[in-house]
Amino acid sequence: MQRARARVTGAEQIGPYTLLRVARGSLEPGIPGQFFMLEAPGRPLPRPMSLCLTPPGELAFLIDPIGPGTRALCALQPGDRLAILGPLGNGYRLDVERPLLVGGGIGAAPLPYLSDALGHPPAILGFRSDWHAEAAQLVPNAEVVVEPTFVTEALSPGHDVFACGPEPMLAAVAKLEPAAQLAWEAPMACGHGACYGCAVQIDGEIKRLCVEGPVLAAEAVAA
Amino acid sequence: MKILNASGCLDALTAPAVARSLDAFVTKSVTPLPREGNAPPRIAEVEHGMLNSIGLANPGIDRFLAHTLPRLRELEVPIWVSVGGFAVAEYADLCDRLDDRPEVEAIELNVSCPNVDDVPASVGEIVAASRAATRKPLYTKLSPATADIAEVARAAQKAGTDGLSLVNTILGLALDEQTLKPRLSRGAGGLSGAALKPIALAAVYACYEATGLPIVGMGGITSGRDALELVAAGAASVALGTILFADPGAPARIRAELASEIANLGVGEIDNAIGLAHAEPAAISKTAGRSAAMSVQ
């Protein structure tokens, strides 16, 4: 885990989201599904963000401005600097035969980098509106569904599923695909195992999503 | 003068480099039995701080002694173990179990967790029973949510505490932007971060005057200046809490900033700054503070 002050190189609007690009500097991109803690300007706590893309010399994060921290991050301008810690947690296992990426809403964030790492396998992305669905342009070979259609309706069996999205979506995917790898989200203050804000109970033991996750096997999680 | 972490604000096993940048590592509170803690969500950021209602999630003393402590020992950082209980006998038992572990430098009695329903017995009784159970240095961590913290500190002193850890978090509430419902599942949670600093300063100031005991000052330290203020109020050491979440490099940064603050102050050794906020820094208090602090080196 490394902490560096990174320079913002770009901030692009994609639907309601912002793709924030920073100079990579000494930071390693890590494995798809891992995350970074991004300093949220003016806020006491950083925000956990999975890595979305790795343009040459850069790291890019897809951010949904839903609260004071994410709004501050989306307001950053090229040239601004922010502290970044990472990569953190456990990413996806990539040694599978028939990958299928499944994303819901801002859960699409880690999938572009994952898609690059896996050679652009098929993907199913679900969004609440066409505006939100603009984020699908970041994921090659993506089939897009918009509510009231859900990603689970487009799932076909026989794949090694990688999923990221809201909890109800992950729970539904876990039921259909018990071997799926799911990336979870939880409020976290630190990202390095200290705060226990992201702790969940798995197999009778307390696990911290920032340390043992955020990617967990579907069968390991009590739905 | 030591820089420690506040209990529950660092896991030395997942962030060993951060632990090694401290003068001692304070564990998350250990209780007699394992505890899952409270239901999520259990943290919420607020203006100038955060709330937590973790609820003393920990593996319990048996597993701590068998699995956690041996791994902590390998880090070769002095270890302070924070203990929490729900009855006097539980604190005494925890202290007894730790007493013969040479890797434990000191024990912090967490008599002030705001996130559990069971209210422990009086601080004096807990300290007295713990004192009888161990020869280790005992630091008693007090809540600022009391009418007269100096009175509680004097009771702890009378019962045999070697020092005080000031302060624990204080209950606060945050409401959701949209729903106006509490953001934490438990409702209220412990407020920490910059918002806690004036409260910590008041507690340290009052307890320094009341007891002269060595104090580990904590609450909202984000800079060397903050640390200096707690020292001036009477802290012989300081602990970093919420800042460690945002900046794991804080111990080294704050140590350097504090050194430069002390140099600017022109008082020589940092220990000469202890209690400077008081009209007459009691010489006897400083002496007592130093000698007791040295006993845990």
Side-chain angles (χ1 to χ4, degrees), chain B residues 14-27:
Chain B
T14 56
V18 184
R20 289 195 186 97
S21 71
L22 298 162
D23 297 304
F25 166 70
V26 185
T27 69

Side-chain angles (χ1 to χ4, degrees), chain B residues 92-112:
Chain B
D93 184 52
L94 290 163
C95 288
D96 180 56
R97 302 278 305 273
L98 292 164
D99 188 54
D100 62 352
R101 300 296 288 249
E103 60 270 54
V104 178
E105 184 181 81
I107 298 172
E108 185 174 84
L109 302 172
N110 178 3
V111 297
S112 49

Side-chain angles (χ1 to χ4, degrees), chain A residues 1 3 43-47 66 68 71 85 187-190 192-197 199 201 205-206 208 211, chain B residues 8-11 14-15 28 35-36 42-43 45-50 54 57 63 177 242 244-248:
Chain A
M1 127 178 136
R3 189 169 190 265
R43 305 300 306 177
L45 297 176
R47 297 296 190 273
I66 53 162
R71 285 195 290 266
L85 176 74
M188 62 181 71
C190 69
H192 50 82
C195 75
Y196 278 75
Q201 204 188 355
E205 281 197 48
I206 299 164
R208 290 159 291 182
V211 176
Chain B
C9 296
L10 182 69
D11 183 343
T14 56
K28 194 165 167 55
R35 288 176 60 87
E36 290 169 23
R42 25 196 211 179
I43 59 166
E45 186 193 69
V46 295
E47 297 301 319
H48 312 298
M50 65 176 284
I54 305 303
R63 196 171 162 82
E177 257 182 31
T242 303
L244 289 172
F245 297 156
D247 179 9

Side-chain angles (χ1 to χ4, degrees), chain B residues 221-241:
Chain B
I221 297 177
T222 63
S223 67
R225 179 71 196 183
D226 294 333
L228 175 64
E229 289 187 16
L230 277 162
V231 169
S237 295
V238 294
L240 309 182

Side-chain angles (χ1 to χ4, degrees), chain B residues 205-219:
Chain B
Y205 190 90
C207 293
Y208 176 81
E209 282 208 340
T211 68
L213 286 169
I215 293 170
V216 181
M218 69 195 84

Side-chain angles (χ1 to χ4, degrees), chain B:
Chain B
M1 169 68 196
K2 297 178 179 179
I3 297 183
L4 297 78
N5 63 293
S7 172
C9 296
L10 182 69
D11 183 343
L13 297 179
T14 56
V18 184
R20 289 195 186 97
S21 71
L22 298 162
D23 297 304
F25 166 70
V26 185
T27 69
K28 194 165 167 55
S29 292
V30 183
T31 55
L33 296 174
R35 288 176 60 87
E36 290 169 23
N38 297 324
R42 25 196 211 179
I43 59 166
E45 186 193 69
V46 295
E47 297 301 319
H48 312 298
M50 65 176 284
L51 302 177
N52 86 79
S53 66
I54 305 303
L56 296 178
N58 82 95
I61 187 70
D62 289 343
R63 196 171 162 82
F64 174 82
L65 291 174
H67 296 279
T68 313
L69 196 51
R71 291 171 64 202
L72 288 175
R73 184 179 188 167
E74 289 170 14
L75 298 174
E76 296 182 343
V77 177
I79 300 163
W80 289 29
V81 178
S82 169
V83 298
F86 303 95
V88 170
E90 292 188 350
Y91 284 92
D93 184 52
L94 290 163
C95 288
D96 180 56
R97 302 278 305 273
L98 292 164
D99 188 54
D100 62 352
R101 300 296 288 249
E103 60 270 54
V104 178
E105 184 181 81
I107 298 172
E108 185 174 84
L109 302 172
N110 178 3
V111 297
S112 49
C113 180
N115 291 318
V116 291
D117 287 324
D118 315 71
V119 178
S122 86
V123 169
E125 287 176 63
I126 293 170
V127 175
S130 302
R131 177 74 293 160
T134 182
R135 294 150 293 171
K136 303 263 189 212
L138 284 178
Y139 274 69
T140 307
K141 186 165 183 177
L142 301 182
S143 165
T146 176
D148 185 356
I149 195 169
E151 189 60 40
V152 183
R154 273 192 291 265
Q157 182 176 34
K158 199 173 161 200
T161 197
D162 296 291
L164 301 169
S165 294
L166 302 171
V167 288
N168 209 324
T169 58
I170 188 166
L171 273 184
L173 180 71
L175 301 181
D176 184 82
E177 257 182 31
Q178 311 292 329
T179 65
L180 288 176
K181 299 292 182 202
R183 286 165 59 195
L184 299 179
S185 69
R186 232 181 102 79
L191 174 67
S192 65
L196 194 60
K197 195 181 92 173
I199 295 164
L201 280 169
V204 170
Y205 190 90
C207 293
Y208 176 81
E209 282 208 340
T211 68
L213 286 169
I215 293 170
V216 181
M218 69 195 84
I221 297 177
T222 63
S223 67
R225 179 71 196 183
D226 294 333
L228 175 64
E229 289 187 16
L230 277 162
V231 169
S237 295
V238 294
L240 309 182
T242 303
I243 187 64
L244 289 172
F245 297 156
D247 179 9
R253 174 176 60 80
I254 287 171
R255 197 185 298 279
E257 290 172 359
L258 184 57
S260 123
E261 292 281 352
I262 292 295
N264 290 341
L265 203 59
V267 294
E269 295 290 307
I270 184 155
D271 283 2
N272 295 334
I274 299 172
L276 269 184
H278 298 260
E280 289 178 47
I284 187 165
S285 302
K286 280 169 68 178
T287 311
R290 277 202 206 120
S291 62
M294 282 176 69
S295 71
V296 300
Q297 300 268 324

